[in-house]
């Protein structure tokens, strides 16, 4: 198992380089790079533009043709190119970027006076909060409910819970989030939960129990909104997995030997049925952490990585774009490895070392 883990860790490096390469190539064809953004602000008489053109050197970035620069001195444009690292060929910029990223040196934001590492660490707690809580709650609800539905397949309980699950799955997360705000955050009905943010303004002045309560009070609605789709999918996956296992010959044999139903379900069926559910853990976590974080963070005014990545892409703040992409990719690969290790924990008969590579 140790050799398998080592191989997977070593594969992370070329995988991340491949992800960065594909996105770096795409960026070269994107119009409106960071220098064009600055020039457009200058041409539109943005008085604060020149104050933001300080520091922030980076090796990433897009095109080298800057339309709209008419009237600006060529020396000024050349100085901007040098500050942002665009005076080097794209191939050289890419290899410099990869070398820096392997040591977690992401440079500084083009438009913020802060390093990308500090910016990512500042925003990461919000996204991790949404991802972990939503995934945990989805599993805690869906697995017992899915097992119950499988045991009582075809009953009235199975029918009406399936109806609720289908409705939950059909509701987009952003629409459910808006509905929660309207109902419970002072929209048109009750003001039970806060409208925005992860903590209150007086969070630092609260006691430990007060801080925990304040934190849970703030994350209730965002986590509920991000869990709705995952909960529905995971429940049906658990049910179908259990139904497939219950119909197999070993279950019939175990019952014929006189084993109790509880022993059959949780001593034999559970271990096998949970494999496919565990396999969906990385996809579920990543979908909540990456895909859903932008919408939920925007609606609930949470300052997380999803919102940061979106705003940086709009601003062409390439160090932040590639830095968050690198972090997302690394977390996704590590979660995939964790999923494989969980396979072995659930069913020790699985041996990844014996697989052909």
């Amino acid at each position: 198992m140790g050799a398998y883990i080592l191989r997977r860790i070593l594969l992370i490096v070329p995988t991340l380089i491949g992800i960065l390469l594909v996105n770096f190539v795409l960026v070269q064809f994107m119009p409106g790079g960071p220098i064009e953004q600055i020039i457009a602000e200058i041409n539109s008489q943005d008085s604060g533009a020149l104050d933001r053109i300080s520091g922030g050197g980076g090796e990433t970035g897009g095109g080298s043709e800057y339309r709209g620069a008419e009237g600006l001195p060529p020396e000024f444009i050349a100085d901007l190119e040098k500050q942002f690292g665009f005076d080097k060929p794209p191939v050289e910029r890419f290899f410099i970027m990869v070398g820096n990223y392997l040591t977690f040196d992401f440079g500084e934001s083009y438009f913020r006076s802060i390093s990308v590492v500090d910016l990512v660490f500042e925003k990461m707690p919000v996204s991790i909060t949404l991802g972990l809580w939503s995934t945990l709650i989805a599993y805690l609800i869906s697995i017992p409910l899915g097992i119950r539905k499988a045991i009582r397949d075809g009953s009235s309980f199975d029918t009406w819970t399936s109806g609720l699950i289908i409705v939950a799955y059909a509701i987009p997360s952003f629409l459910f989030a808006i509905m929660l705000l309207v109902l419970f955050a002072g929209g048109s009905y009750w003001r039970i939960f806060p409208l925005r943010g992860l903590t209150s303004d007086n969070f630092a002045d609260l006691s430990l129990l007060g801080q925990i309560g304040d934190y849970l009070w703030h994350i209730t609605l965002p986590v509920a909104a991000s869990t709705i789709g995952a909960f529905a999918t995971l429940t049906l996956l658990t049910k179908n997995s259990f139904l497939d296992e219950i119909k197999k010959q070993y279950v019939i044999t175990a019952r014929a030997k006189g084993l109790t139903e509880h022993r059959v379900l949780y001593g034999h069926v559970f271990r096998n049925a949970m494999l496919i559910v565990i396999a969906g853990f990385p996809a579920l976590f990543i979908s909540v952490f990456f895909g859903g974080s932008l919408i939920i963070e925007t609606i609930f005014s949470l300052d997380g990585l999803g919102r940061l990545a979106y705003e940086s892409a709009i601003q062409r703040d390439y160090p932040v774009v590639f830095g968050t992409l690198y972090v997302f990719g690394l977390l996704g690969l590590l979660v995939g490895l964790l999923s494989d290790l969980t396979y072995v924990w659930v069913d020790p008969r699985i041996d990844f070392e014996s697989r052909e590579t």
Side-chain angles (χ1 to χ4, degrees):
M1 191 64 186
Y4 171 77
I5 295 175
L6 180 61
R7 287 198 303 270
R8 287 291 300 271
I9 293 176
L10 292 177
L11 282 174
I12 289 177
V13 175
T15 303
L16 286 175
I17 292 176
I19 293 172
L20 291 176
L21 176 60
V22 171
N23 287 273
F24 185 87
V25 171
L26 292 176
V27 161
Q28 307 311 307
F29 300 97
M30 291 177 60
I35 296 180
E36 287 182 318
Q37 298 264 343
I38 292 175
I39 291 173
E41 291 184 8
I42 294 175
N43 289 338
S44 63
Q45 299 180 351
D46 183 354
S47 60
L50 290 175
D51 295 335
R52 300 207 318 237
I53 312 170
S54 59
E59 299 80 17
T60 59
S64 58
E65 296 181 2
Y66 307 109
R67 301 188 186 97
E70 296 81 356
L72 294 176
E75 297 81 8
F76 178 73
I77 304 300
D79 184 59
L80 285 180
E81 291 179 352
K82 186 175 181 179
Q83 286 188 24
F84 291 152
F86 296 148
D87 57 330
K88 303 180 181 67
V91 175
E92 182 180 352
R93 295 205 310 270
F94 176 75
F95 282 108
I96 292 175
M97 180 186 71
V98 170
N100 291 335
Y101 278 23
L102 290 178
T103 59
F104 293 93
D105 179 9
F106 302 138
E108 290 189 359
S109 167
Y110 287 157
F111 304 109
R112 299 176 175 91
S113 299
I114 185 174
S115 69
V116 175
V117 172
D118 293 338
L119 196 58
V120 168
F121 277 112
E122 179 184 326
K123 312 297 183 182
M124 185 177 289
V126 174
S127 298
I128 290 181
T129 291
L130 288 177
L132 287 181
W133 278 110
S134 299
T135 305
L136 177 62
I137 292 175
Y139 269 79
L140 289 177
I141 296 176
S142 300
I143 291 178
L145 180 58
I147 294 174
R148 187 67 174 174
K149 285 173 63 62
I151 295 174
R152 302 184 60 179
D153 183 41
S155 66
S156 58
F157 171 81
D158 181 44
T159 301
W160 69 262
T161 52
S162 294
L164 290 178
I165 290 171
I166 292 173
V167 171
Y169 184 76
I171 299 177
S173 59
F174 75 89
L175 183 61
F176 187 65
I178 295 174
M179 183 178 68
L180 290 177
L181 286 178
V182 171
L183 290 177
F184 302 110
S188 301
Y189 295 91
W190 306 281
R191 188 176 181 84
I192 301 175
F193 298 98
L195 184 61
R196 59 175 61 89
L198 199 60
T199 57
S200 300
D201 294 335
N202 63 336
F203 182 80
D205 300 328
L206 300 175
S207 63
L208 178 60
L209 290 179
Q211 290 180 344
I212 295 175
D214 183 74
Y215 168 76
L216 295 176
W217 182 48
H218 278 78
I219 68 170
T220 297
L221 295 187
V223 168
S226 60
T227 305
I228 187 72
F231 147 77
T233 303
L234 191 58
T235 300
L236 294 179
L237 179 63
T238 303
K239 175 192 173 182
N240 293 333
S241 179
F242 258 78
L243 285 177
D244 289 341
E245 291 296 323
I246 288 174
K247 297 176 182 177
K248 291 183 177 180
Q249 182 62 42
Y250 76 89
V251 176
I252 299 175
T253 303
R255 287 170 173 167
K257 289 181 178 180
L259 297 180
T260 62
E261 191 68 12
H262 185 274
R263 177 79 179 276
V264 171
L265 289 176
Y266 296 99
H268 298 277
V269 174
F270 181 83
R271 183 175 61 181
N272 296 324
M274 283 298 99
L275 291 178
I276 189 173
V277 177
I278 292 172
F281 175 82
L284 177 62
F285 177 80
I286 291 173
S287 65
V288 174
F289 186 77
F290 301 160
S293 61
L294 169 60
I295 299 175
I296 301 301
E297 288 171 13
T298 301
I299 293 176
F300 289 97
S301 300
L302 302 176
D303 201 7
L305 283 177
R307 190 175 176 183
L308 172 66
Y310 172 74
E311 293 177 350
S312 301
I314 296 298
Q315 296 175 345
R316 303 297 193 267
D317 196 348
Y318 291 126
V320 180
V321 171
F322 280 92
T324 53
L325 178 67
Y326 187 86
V327 172
F328 284 170
L330 180 60
L331 288 177
L333 293 170
L334 291 177
V335 168
L337 176 58
L338 178 62
S339 177
D340 287 347
L341 297 179
T342 311
Y343 268 126
V344 179
W345 176 70
V346 173
D347 190 349
R349 296 172 299 175
I350 295 178
D351 184 10
F352 289 105
E353 293 286 355
S354 63
R355 299 191 313 172
E356 294 182 2
T357 57

